[in-house]
């Protein structure tokens, strides 16, 4: 094999395919990047049995062939090479040489025959706007659990219904939901995608124009694929039943407060500085303000008030996890935020608060982002 390729194009391609590989892989062969060269150019792929990434780029191929080389090492080298064309070749002794200007590296070849086959996708599919989908992933993905004890909660549930694709995530303490337009087959489909993989898809494809989403496979090898331009990411789906969290969202939202998002974020960050770890922050929503109070160790105390408008009910006092609230406020992406106080039939159970976007003091936001946060018990 021998080919020449633009340095920036090659570096970006290698960086893309290695992003989804775990930092440490129990099988060394899965740390490799597969490079296939033919008359049409180069195809670069990476796969760890759960997620795969593949991209095609232009190159001048003198001798077609296939090589497997350590991905992260190749990515580090490619990103630091001088601004000149790269030539990669397989030498007579089997070593792989990477030449760029006066820089020359020799890398060990990994056994291509031991590398697993990259998943091929053929199934129902549709198209979503890349910018909205990327935003939706960032608004929902952070609410997925990071605890592998319950795998179904580490994923984001994708649900196709009619002309809408919904994204839902929960870690039991909060639920995040967002809908985006779906243009494609209207067969109802669901896919529980690992949040880590989906977040990378959002970062990589968020400015791609449109993203094709395809569902494929069956049984224990159900996969989903995301394609934009010359790049494709596939992911093995998480098996299990995602909890029915949609029913937790209230229909009536008459009792709520509207607050400036940035002002509330900054105040929460300041007041929570004195809180002990995992302790809730006390919020009191009154007619024209929301007041935050915190007591910590070493007799430290803090309080601050921010302007707010309360509608539809009496003053409310509750405790909220400050970090969970800050993450929700960062996802709102609007100047104002609406904090709605829901009601419960169980008098002994605290009702969650509903957080949504608010374009202005008196106008609800246009997007479908919803975030439910379970209050904490306040110690008297």
């Amino acid at each position: 094999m021998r080919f020449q390729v633009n340095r920036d194009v090659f570096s970006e391609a290698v960086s893309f395919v290695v992003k989804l590989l775990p930092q440490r892989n129990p099988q060394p062969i899965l740390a490799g990047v597969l490079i296939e060269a033919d008359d049409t150019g180069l195809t670069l792929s990476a796969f760890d049995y759960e997620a795969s990434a593949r991209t095609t780029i232009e190159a001048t191929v003198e001798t077609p062939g296939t090589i497997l080389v350590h991905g992260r090492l190749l990515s580090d080298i490619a990103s630091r090479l001088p601004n000149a064309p790269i030539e990669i070749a397989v030498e007579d002794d089997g070593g792989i040489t990477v030449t760029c200007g006066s820089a020359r590296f020799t890398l060990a070849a990994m056994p291509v025959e031991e590398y697993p086959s990259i998943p091929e996708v053929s199934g129902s599919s549709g198209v979503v706007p890349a910018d909205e989908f990327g935003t939706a992933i960032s608004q929902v993905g952070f609410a997925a659990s990071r605890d592998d004890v319950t795998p179904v909660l580490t994923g984001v549930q994708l649900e196709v219904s009619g002309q809408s694709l919904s994204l839902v995530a929960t870690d039991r303490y909060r639920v995040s939901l967002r809908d985006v337009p779906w243009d494609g087959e209207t067969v109802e489909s669901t896919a529980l995608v690992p949040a880590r993989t989906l977040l990378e898809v959002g970062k990589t494809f968020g400015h791609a124009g449109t993203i094709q989403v395809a569902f494929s496979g069956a049984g224990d090898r159900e996969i989903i694929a995301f394609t934009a331009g010359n790049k494709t990411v596939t992911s093995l789906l998480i098996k299990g039943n995602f909890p029915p969290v949609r029913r937790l969202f209230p229909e009536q939202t008459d009792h709520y407060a509207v607050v400036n998002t940035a002002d509330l974020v900054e105040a929460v960050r300041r007041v929570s500085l004195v809180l002990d770890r995992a302790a809730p922050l006390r919020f009191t929503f009154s007619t024209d303000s929301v007041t935050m109070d915190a007591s910590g160790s070493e007799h430290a105390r803090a309080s601050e008030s921010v302007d707010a408008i309360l509608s539809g009910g009496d003053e409310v006092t509750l405790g909220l996890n400050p970090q969970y609230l800050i993450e929700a406020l960062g996802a709102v992406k609007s100047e104002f935020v609406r904090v709605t106080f829901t009601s419960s039939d169980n008098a002994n159970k605290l009702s969650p608060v509903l957080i949504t976007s608010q374009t202005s003091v008196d106008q609800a936001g246009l997007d479908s982002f919803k975030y439910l946060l379970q209050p904490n018990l306040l110690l008297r």
Side-chain angles (χ1 to χ4, degrees), residues 4-21:
Q4 294 81 39
V5 64
N6 177 278
R7 187 208 69 160
D8 292 340
V9 172
F10 185 74
S11 177
E12 194 274 335
V14 178
S15 174
F16 161 70
V17 296
V18 302
K19 275 181 183 177
L20 292 176
L21 292 178

Side-chain angles (χ1 to χ4, degrees), residues 264-328:
L264 185 57
V265 168
E266 291 305 313
V268 171
R269 283 179 174 157
R270 280 190 291 269
V271 176
S272 60
L273 289 173
V274 304
L275 278 178
D276 295 329
R277 186 179 179 184
L281 182 60
R282 180 188 293 265
F283 291 81
T284 302
F285 292 87
S286 56
T287 304
D288 56 4
S289 68
V290 53
T291 301
M292 289 139 278
D293 296 286
S295 299
S297 56
E298 307 299 329
H299 304 290
R301 292 178 176 274
S303 67
E304 184 170 349
S305 296
V306 173
D307 290 344
I309 297 176
L310 182 65
S311 302
D314 299 328
E315 178 179 295
V316 177
T317 298
L318 45 76
L320 298 174
N321 181 306
Q323 186 56 40
Y324 285 1
L325 179 61
I326 287 172
E327 288 176 344

